[in-house]
Amino acid sequence: MTARIIDGKIISAELRARVAAEVTRIKTDHGITPGLAVVLVGSDPASEVYVRSKHKQTQEAGMASFEHRLPADVPQAELLALIAKLNADPAVHGILVQLPLPKGLDSTAVIDAIDPAKDVDGLNPTNAGRLASGLFALTPCTPLGCIIMAKQVHASLEGMNAIVIGRSNLVGKPLVQLLLNENATVTIAHSRSRDLPALCRQADLVFAAVGKAEMVKGDWIKPGATVIDVGINRTPSPDGGKDKLLGDVAFNEAKEVVGAITPVPGGVGLMTVACLLVNTVRAASAIHGLPKPAV
Amino acid sequence: MTARIIDGKIISAELRARVAAEVTRIKTDHGITPGLAVVLVGSDPASEVYVRSKHKQTQEAGMASFEHRLPADVPQAELLALIAKLNADPAVHGILVQLPLPKGLDSTAVIDAIDPAKDVDGLNPTNAGRLASGLFALTPCTPLGCIIMAKQVHASLEGMNAIVIGRSNLVGKPLVQLLLNENATVTIAHSRSRDLPALCRQADLVFAAVGKAEMVKGDWIKPGATVIDVGINRTPSPDGGKDKLLGDVAFNEAKEVVGAITPVPGGVGLMTVACLLVNTVRAASAIHGLPKPAV
């Protein structure tokens, strides 16, 4: 069987183009420029790269991009004061605090301080609750990207049997809610689940979000299933060369069985920033009482 | 096979006795009397009966019981003003607005207005979000009762395959979160699920919460499984006599197959008020910064 490779590069570029079109429309029709503020505390090199990429993509989509950099030893109160300022700033529709925060800062308190209407990372419990209650919510970007990728293969997920492996607040749990909104039947499995291979083999849709390199084997997968691999596991190369990035799924085995699969790298990871832009457009529309955007 | 009948009358009485013991302890050690306020709008006869039962059981547990009755044509603003007063009242630790509200009143706005710390019905999206995020939350009473009943049969639910049939905000969705907290593997099925009988037959624990009389048949159930039936469906008697109450599970068929099952009536329904008292004690403890109560 020749598996379809679900290409994150192409899909995220299409999504960004759709965001840019919506931004143009909102500017023209309503005179509003959606704005995203990113707060970076300290100078973790990986975070620096990520924040630069966000900045670039935000500007390319025609949105306003605001960057705030604070030293690693910033007092919690000062960080919270910045968030309060951004909450009150009408030019800012989305606020993202780059995680993890340096030691000594309380991430939970910082996330709680973000106005839920501007919480484009979807991590605020208010947004989790609104999502769980079927209300309008800003949802975490990675699960949003997973749904968009699955829907590249299946126009409707209704009635499909989906398994979500992993139950984190960031990915697994919101993904379950999004799948329920799509009318899929959802099983949530995790480290305490018995006979995970057998559970997995029943699923038409497999979402792997455990953070263990190549844990999901080829023979765990129902022939023809669609596999969305959220894992990005940095793994030392056996020959001492450059580290490799591996997914949670054993890709080479799986691609002989699946109908469609996302690669790592080049899969879900590329969707995250694009989904952040989607959330910022959705937040701006909701804040200004505009109709739901077409993205 | 002789099924064990999970008796709501006995279990709820035991639970109320444990609540009463905790109330005595909190009064003695901290001088605090947990208090529950119930708001009844209009005069629906079924609601009247239910509110009277709550009042009686609250007092029997040694707690303070406050009743507020408003006419069916009360303006929304007046109802919200009462909630604001109860939110601010230090003698009140739990607020329950009896649902459904008469036409013309906006239930969502009323539920949102209740201080999440006093939301003993667990319906506020903030509590749904805290539950979904694994934080301390007041959880809806019926799913809480379901977990307590399942744990009468299995000391631990860890690693068990559970199915929740029905995805309401009131029962199905919070039940999924509570089952995840117990480390069960959870499948959520609903009206759009394909081949529900086959999905159901894989489960060690079946939670039926769909509101359709006797929808779950005996041959849907894995031999020896534990079945918790949330449904209470009023059904006309075939001989024109008094209406019958039927569960979502075909009890007579199921009892030949299951290991244990809750009856209807006499099952989950009896747990609801007892769980409301549990939530009030938990709310009072959290509001006053006391250690988590033993109930």
Side-chain angles (χ1 to χ4, degrees):
Chain A
M1 187 183 285
T2 307
R4 169 169 168 190
I5 306 298
I6 309 172
D7 188 328
K9 200 163 175 180
I10 294 173
I11 301 169
S12 64
E14 283 171 359
L15 187 58
R16 285 197 306 273
R18 286 172 54 209
V19 168
E22 280 300 287
V23 168
T24 302
R25 192 187 56 73
I26 291 171
K27 280 182 182 174
T28 309
D29 292 359
H30 306 283
I32 294 160
T33 302
L36 172 64
V38 172
V39 178
L40 177 60
V41 185
S43 53
D44 176 65
S47 292
E48 289 272 3
V49 171
Y50 195 50
V51 165
R52 258 201 308 277
S53 158
K54 279 175 192 163
H55 182 65
K56 183 164 167 278
Q57 294 187 33
T58 306
Q59 291 197 315
E60 283 173 0
M63 295 163 58
S65 174
F66 308 97
E67 256 185 76
H68 295 268
R69 288 162 180 271
L70 297 171
D73 62 353
V74 67
Q76 173 93 3
E78 201 171 309
L79 177 54
L80 291 176
L82 171 60
I83 306 244
K85 210 182 89 187
L86 296 172
N87 282 342
D89 185 343
V92 172
H93 304 100
I95 302 170
L96 182 136
V97 178
Q98 183 68 36
L99 299 177
L101 289 172
K103 272 183 194 148
L105 293 169
D106 176 354
S107 310
T108 307
V110 170
I111 290 166
D112 278 356
I114 298 173
D115 179 349
K118 298 188 176 184
D119 168 38
V120 283
D121 234 1
L123 294 179
N124 195 297
T126 302
N127 276 311
R130 295 184 60 85
L131 179 62
S133 305
L135 303 170
F136 169 77
L138 294 168
T139 58
C141 297
T142 300
L144 195 57
C146 290
I147 297 286
I148 292 170
M149 294 189 109
K151 290 184 83 172
Q152 293 281 321
V153 182
H154 307 278
S156 165
L157 311 182
E158 180 162 319
M160 296 184 82
N161 288 330
I163 190 166
V164 175
I165 312 175
R167 53 175 164 171
S168 67
N169 289 341
L170 195 56
V171 183
K173 286 181 175 178
L175 187 48
V176 169
Q177 303 295 341
L178 291 173
L179 285 165
L180 282 178
N181 290 352
E182 299 288 335
N183 292 323
T185 301
V186 192
T187 297
I188 323 161
H190 44 77
S191 56
R192 311 296 177 86
S193 292
R194 290 179 202 153
D195 202 355
L196 196 49
L199 287 168
C200 200
R201 270 192 289 268
Q202 293 168 5
D204 310 306
L205 293 171
V206 177
F207 297 86
V210 279
K212 276 194 180 172
E214 304 198 324
M215 187 183 91
V216 176
K217 305 302 179 196
D219 64 0
W220 293 25
I221 294 166
K222 183 178 180 174
T226 295
V227 176
I228 309 291
D229 188 349
V230 180
I232 300 180
N233 306 287
R234 190 171 291 278
T235 312
S237 171
D239 59 8
K242 215 181 145 194
D243 286 356
K244 286 183 73 171
L245 292 183
L246 295 175
D248 288 348
V249 179
F251 183 83
N252 286 330
E253 289 174 28
K255 78 175 188 326
E256 304 300 323
V257 186
V258 300
I261 187 167
T262 61
V264 177
V268 175
L270 294 177
M271 298 296 290
T272 310
V273 179
C275 288
L276 184 68
L277 304 182
V278 169
N279 271 346
T280 305
V281 170
R282 289 182 180 175
S285 302
I287 288 168
H288 290 282
L290 310 182
K292 207 166 164 280
V295 73
Chain B
M1 185 182 285
T2 307
R4 170 172 169 188
I5 305 298
I6 309 172
D7 188 329
K9 199 164 176 180
I10 294 174
I11 300 168
S12 64
E14 284 171 358
L15 188 58
R16 285 198 306 273
R18 288 172 53 209
V19 168
E22 281 300 286
V23 169
T24 303
R25 191 187 57 73
I26 291 171
K27 281 181 181 173
T28 309
D29 292 359
H30 306 283
I32 294 160
T33 302
L36 173 64
V38 172
V39 178
L40 178 59
V41 184
S43 54
D44 175 66
S47 292
E48 289 272 3
V49 171
Y50 195 51
V51 165
R52 259 201 307 279
S53 158
K54 278 175 191 164
H55 182 65
K56 183 164 167 279
Q57 293 187 34
T58 307
Q59 290 196 315
E60 282 173 1
M63 294 163 56
S65 173
F66 309 97
E67 256 184 76
H68 296 268
R69 289 163 180 270
L70 297 171
D73 61 354
V74 67
Q76 174 94 359
E78 200 172 308
L79 175 55
L80 291 176
L82 171 60
I83 305 238
K85 209 183 91 185
L86 296 172
N87 282 343
D89 185 343
V92 172
H93 303 99
I95 302 170
L96 182 136
V97 178
Q98 183 69 35
L99 299 176
L101 289 172
K103 271 183 195 150
L105 292 168
D106 176 354
S107 310
T108 306
V110 170
I111 289 166
D112 278 356
I114 298 173
D115 180 349
K118 298 187 176 185
D119 168 38
V120 284
D121 234 1
L123 293 181
N124 195 296
T126 303
N127 276 310
R130 296 184 60 86
L131 179 62
S133 306
L135 303 169
F136 169 77
L138 294 168
T139 58
C141 297
T142 301
L144 195 56
C146 290
I147 297 286
I148 292 170
M149 295 189 108
K151 291 184 80 172
Q152 293 282 322
V153 182
H154 307 277
S156 165
L157 311 183
E158 181 162 318
M160 296 183 81
N161 288 331
I163 190 166
V164 174
I165 312 175
R167 53 175 165 172
S168 67
N169 290 340
L170 194 56
V171 183
K173 285 181 176 178
L175 186 49
V176 169
Q177 303 294 341
L178 292 172
L179 285 165
L180 282 178
N181 290 352
E182 299 289 335
N183 292 323
T185 301
V186 192
T187 297
I188 323 161
H190 45 77
S191 56
R192 311 297 177 87
S193 292
R194 290 180 201 155
D195 202 355
L196 196 48
L199 287 168
C200 200
R201 269 191 290 269
Q202 292 168 5
D204 310 307
L205 293 171
V206 176
F207 297 86
V210 278
K212 278 195 181 172
E214 303 197 325
M215 186 182 92
V216 177
K217 306 299 177 196
D219 64 0
W220 293 24
I221 295 164
K222 184 178 178 175
T226 296
V227 175
I228 310 292
D229 189 350
V230 180
I232 301 180
N233 306 288
R234 190 171 292 277
T235 312
S237 172
D239 57 8
K242 212 179 145 194
D243 286 354
K244 287 184 72 172
L245 292 183
L246 294 176
D248 289 346
V249 179
F251 184 84
N252 286 331
E253 290 174 27
K255 79 176 190 324
E256 304 299 322
V257 187
V258 301
I261 187 167
T262 61
V264 177
V268 175
L270 294 175
M271 298 297 289
T272 310
V273 180
C275 288
L276 184 69
L277 304 181
V278 168
N279 271 346
T280 306
V281 169
R282 289 182 180 174
S285 301
I287 288 168
H288 291 283
L290 310 182
K292 207 169 163 277
V295 74

